[in-house]
Amino acid sequence: MTSFHFDIGERARHAGRLIGRVRGELLRALSERKSERGFSQEALARKLDTDRSLINRQLSGESTLTLRSLADLAWAMDLEISFELKKQASEAGQNQPMTTSTVRHGQIKYINGAAKPAPARAIPANSELGQPKKSA
């Protein structure tokens, strides 16, 4: 059986989480605008003079979300972007580096349940196994 090891690394994991949070904030803001005044992806696309499909791809992660496109989306929704760098805070339940990785674990064993069991070895009757030791 073939097995694969895949670990994206702490750097890529950190970047992915940031991008996910940014997209999440954009989706939350768009949802709030939609409920407040019926603002949609179509209205956003019209204001930015682009296709709705591009907006959809950017928000879903299928297209690159650059700082420029982030700024354009915020402008189109009449929002200001706030950015802050701070020390990482470890939260309860948050995956810590190397806790979900398979690095340093042994090889995965494949057990074939359909295989015949190995025959039991017969132990001769005069063997010392199973016989109490005689004292001299």
Side-chain angles (χ1 to χ4, degrees):
M1 180 172 135
T2 304
S3 64
F4 297 94
H5 170 75
F6 182 73
D7 187 6
I8 63 171
E10 186 177 351
R11 181 179 177 181
R13 188 172 31 254
H14 189 77
R17 286 181 179 160
L18 170 66
I19 293 165
R21 284 193 305 269
V22 168
R23 282 200 172 93
E25 284 294 312
L26 283 170
L27 290 169
R28 183 192 56 75
L30 183 59
S31 177
E32 287 176 2
R33 293 295 179 270
K34 188 174 185 176
S35 64
E36 290 171 2
R37 47 189 168 147
F39 202 69
S40 65
Q41 285 186 12
E42 184 65 38
L44 197 59
R46 276 194 307 272
K47 193 166 181 180
L48 292 171
D49 193 29
T50 190
D51 292 329
R52 186 203 55 81
S53 62
L54 175 63
I55 303 297
N56 188 25
R57 286 194 311 270
Q58 287 176 332
L59 294 176
S60 68
E62 295 174 20
S63 179
T64 304
L65 184 62
T66 64
L67 287 175
R68 177 58 191 232
S69 58
L70 174 61
D72 287 346
L73 289 167
W75 170 81
M77 289 188 277
D78 299 322
L79 295 172
E80 184 176 306
I81 296 173
S82 149
F83 183 72
E84 176 184 15
L85 290 173
K86 59 184 180 179
K87 287 187 177 185
Q88 285 186 9
S90 181
E91 299 174 12
Q94 179 181 2
N95 288 343
Q96 298 300 315
M98 297 304 292
T99 58
T100 58
S101 174
T102 57
V103 175
R104 298 189 190 119
H105 288 270
Q107 183 177 4
I108 296 173
K109 293 180 183 178
Y110 176 70
I111 300 172
N112 185 355
K116 293 181 181 178
R121 288 186 11 205
I123 300 174
N126 61 355
S127 167
E128 290 183 7
L129 294 175
Q131 301 292 328
K133 285 190 174 183
K134 294 182 182 177
S135 55

